[in-house]
Amino acid sequence: MKRLSALASAIVPAPVIADVGCDHGIIAGYCARSKIAERVIASDVSDACLDKARKALVGLDNVEFVCCDGIGFRCDEAVIAGMGGKLVCGILDRARADNFLPNTLVVMPHRDVDAVRRKLAELGYTVEADFMIEDKNRFYSVIRARQSEIPHEFSELQCLYGVFFEQKSDILRAYLIHQYNTYSVAPERNADKLSSLRAALRFQSEDGRATDI
């Protein structure tokens, strides 16, 4: 449940919040019961998927169930979790094409997080929160972004390791060391990755050196 708690902590009040790819509707239920939204949309790609959420959220009259692939409706805030980053990017591209991009996004991709950060910048979002958690020996990034008229460009290290990677974080440091040890098995093939990891680790050490590697 650590992942769900972290995801919930990033959600901000909004009139209409959507739980995209809702599965059992846990996030939709949280938004509906906590009253942080006037209306909650629980969406998933098929009626069979939505049935799980319908059963779990019986009695909540402020929840609407929508069968669609991605964001096929208007909402103020969309929560997207439980899928890979490239799939998230595809959802956002289709939402842009259909003029359904929400003002606020809360995302937790399982992989290819750098692709999501690049996509957010491309779509004109500014990142308000970007933090990492560890759950069952796996690392997850939680990102909240809001549409902005001021273009926001991220450095390569920000795309790879988080917009606020320079801020001290025990979890991020552990992740960077884990990644470094993984890629060190084949240092010549992974020279670029190891170089960027060393650069990021310098911000996580007390003296500006990557002392653990």
Side-chain angles (χ1 to χ4, degrees):
M1 295 297 288
K2 186 184 292 186
R3 280 177 291 166
L4 294 172
S5 297
L7 194 62
S9 74
I11 300 171
V12 294
V16 181
I17 298 179
D19 181 4
V20 178
C22 64
D23 195 45
H24 287 85
I26 295 176
I27 290 298
Y30 161 75
C31 294
R33 294 185 180 97
S34 63
K35 306 295 185 182
I36 63 173
E38 297 171 14
R39 184 164 63 95
V40 178
I41 298 174
S43 75
D44 218 316
V45 71
S46 71
D47 273 324
C49 294
L50 275 179
D51 277 343
K52 294 182 288 186
R54 289 189 183 102
K55 292 174 182 177
L57 303 178
V58 169
L60 294 175
D61 58 8
N62 57 340
V63 180
E64 175 186 350
F65 300 93
V66 177
C67 181
C68 68
D69 184 7
I71 308 174
F73 43 77
R74 300 206 178 280
C75 62
D76 301 290
E77 182 173 357
V79 183
I80 310 176
M83 60 188 78
K86 291 182 180 179
L87 184 54
V88 173
C89 290
I91 288 173
L92 297 181
D93 278 334
R94 292 195 300 274
R96 171 174 56 178
D98 295 334
N99 199 28
F100 284 144
L101 279 176
N103 181 61
T104 305
L105 286 165
V106 177
V107 297
M108 187 174 68
H110 282 183
R111 57 187 175 276
D112 299 315
V113 186
D114 60 314
V116 174
R117 294 189 181 103
R118 297 180 209 278
K119 181 60 64 177
L120 291 172
E122 175 192 327
L123 296 176
Y125 284 87
T126 184
V127 172
E128 297 181 334
D130 189 346
F131 60 93
M132 184 170 283
I133 65 163
E134 184 180 3
D135 189 10
K136 298 179 181 178
N137 297 317
R138 291 192 62 182
F139 295 93
Y140 301 89
S141 289
V142 180
I143 304 168
R144 183 178 70 245
R146 198 182 299 267
Q147 284 190 344
S148 173
E149 295 181 357
I150 302 174
H152 196 159
E153 295 183 1
F154 304 137
S155 69
E156 183 65 13
L157 290 180
Q158 284 179 309
C159 288
L160 289 172
Y161 308 120
V163 173
F164 309 109
F165 79 94
E166 296 181 9
Q167 298 177 5
K168 293 287 192 295
S169 164
D170 290 340
I171 295 175
L172 176 57
R173 186 167 178 267
Y175 168 78
L176 293 171
I177 292 172
H178 175 270
Q179 291 294 96
Y180 191 91
N181 291 336
T182 298
Y183 289 119
S184 291
V185 175
E188 292 184 4
R189 188 174 66 216
N190 298 313
D192 290 342
K193 291 183 176 68
L194 292 171
S195 177
S196 66
L197 285 162
R198 279 194 294 269
L201 272 165
R202 291 189 183 96
F203 290 95
Q204 296 299 319
S205 64
E206 293 299 327
D207 57 2
R209 294 182 298 171
T211 54
D212 293 86
I213 56 177

